[in-house]
Amino acid sequence: ICSGFGAEPTSPVEARARYEANRRDSVLGEIYPLCPCQTAKHLNSDTQLCELNKFDSMMEYLAAVVPEFRQVVVVDEDFNVFSRAWVVSELAVAHRLKIPQKLKMRSASSVDRCRRHHGKREIKIEECQASWPADKADILAKIENIPEFNRTLNRLIFGEQDSLLVRFSTELAKKQRTRLATAIAIGVAGTALESVI
């Protein structure tokens, strides 16, 4: 992490707790080390040179130049990833560019939990969070039709047919069937070997 974590919020309590959690490794609980390099950092205050606000251009470039370019979204246990403006915006851009996308979740039960967690409440980009208000404003400014964006986003993630959750479940089921078939084959081979001995 370059240069720092940003200004620590003074209130409300939830914002301070989120700030504290975001600057720590979620497994070890240790504060992430800061990059000690002296390279100039171009943040939101310098929009022309900013390194953070060009993800869509970078994704367009990579999709055009790197044929095997893919997007993998690792979903945390509390599904907070879907409340982050940058993440859902990147999901939508990858979908628009037809970049192959995959979710990675802990287990099949995570899919059910995710559907229950979001239930009837759909993800709305305008309610998503960003560390910098300017980031969220930039993301929203690039979206022509926010209600349509939200509908497309929710179909992409939660839809009943070919959504990211459906693809994850299908892929996981296929892997489980392969493991089961392998285990059965090993068991049958072991039994046959025992009968010969």
Side-chain angles (χ1 to χ4, degrees), residues 3-194:
S3 75
F5 300 104
E8 184 172 353
T10 55
S11 65
V13 173
E14 298 84 28
R16 289 190 8 248
R18 187 171 44 253
Y19 172 87
E20 187 60 33
N22 287 341
R23 68 189 198 115
R24 292 182 179 274
D25 180 299
S26 61
V27 175
L28 301 175
E30 297 172 359
I31 295 175
Y32 290 114
L34 297 177
C35 174
C37 77
Q38 299 302 310
T39 303
K41 310 300 187 257
H42 302 286
L43 303 175
N44 297 43
S45 58
D46 186 0
T47 56
Q48 291 300 312
L49 294 175
C50 180
E51 301 161 6
L52 307 173
N53 63 355
K54 295 171 181 61
F55 77 91
D56 45 356
S57 298
M58 183 56 72
M59 289 174 77
E60 287 175 11
Y61 172 77
L62 290 169
V65 174
V66 182
E68 62 277 357
F69 183 63
R70 306 286 185 266
Q71 181 186 49
V72 177
V73 179
V74 179
V75 181
D76 58 289
E77 280 291 301
D78 296 322
F79 316 109
N80 290 324
V81 69
F82 296 129
S83 70
R84 305 301 301 167
W86 279 117
V87 173
V88 297
S89 184
E90 289 171 16
L91 279 167
V93 169
H95 179 68
R96 177 176 54 81
L97 296 173
K98 298 185 177 10
I99 296 170
Q101 298 171 285
K102 272 189 173 184
L103 289 183
K104 292 295 183 182
M105 301 175 87
R106 187 171 185 157
S107 65
S109 65
S110 297
V111 173
D112 296 331
R113 283 186 50 243
C114 186
R115 288 191 186 279
R116 282 195 309 273
H117 177 77
H118 285 284
K120 300 289 183 197
R121 181 180 52 123
E122 65 177 29
I123 297 172
K124 295 181 179 179
I125 186 69
E126 65 272 25
E127 294 175 3
C128 288
Q129 303 297 311
S131 299
W132 300 93
D135 285 350
K136 185 173 175 178
D138 288 346
I139 290 167
L140 292 174
K142 292 179 182 180
I143 301 171
E144 289 181 27
N145 183 331
I146 289 177
E148 180 58 30
F149 176 94
N150 290 336
R151 282 190 291 278
T152 301
L153 177 69
N154 283 278
R155 276 193 308 270
L156 170 65
I157 299 170
F158 304 112
E160 295 299 321
Q161 297 179 345
D162 200 37
S163 69
L164 293 173
L165 284 177
V166 167
R167 283 187 243 155
F168 173 79
S169 296
T170 303
E171 182 181 318
L172 188 62
K174 184 178 176 182
K175 285 180 183 177
Q176 289 171 336
R177 286 192 302 272
T178 301
R179 286 185 193 132
L180 180 60
T182 302
I184 290 170
I186 290 171
V188 169
T191 302
L193 184 61
E194 286 175 10

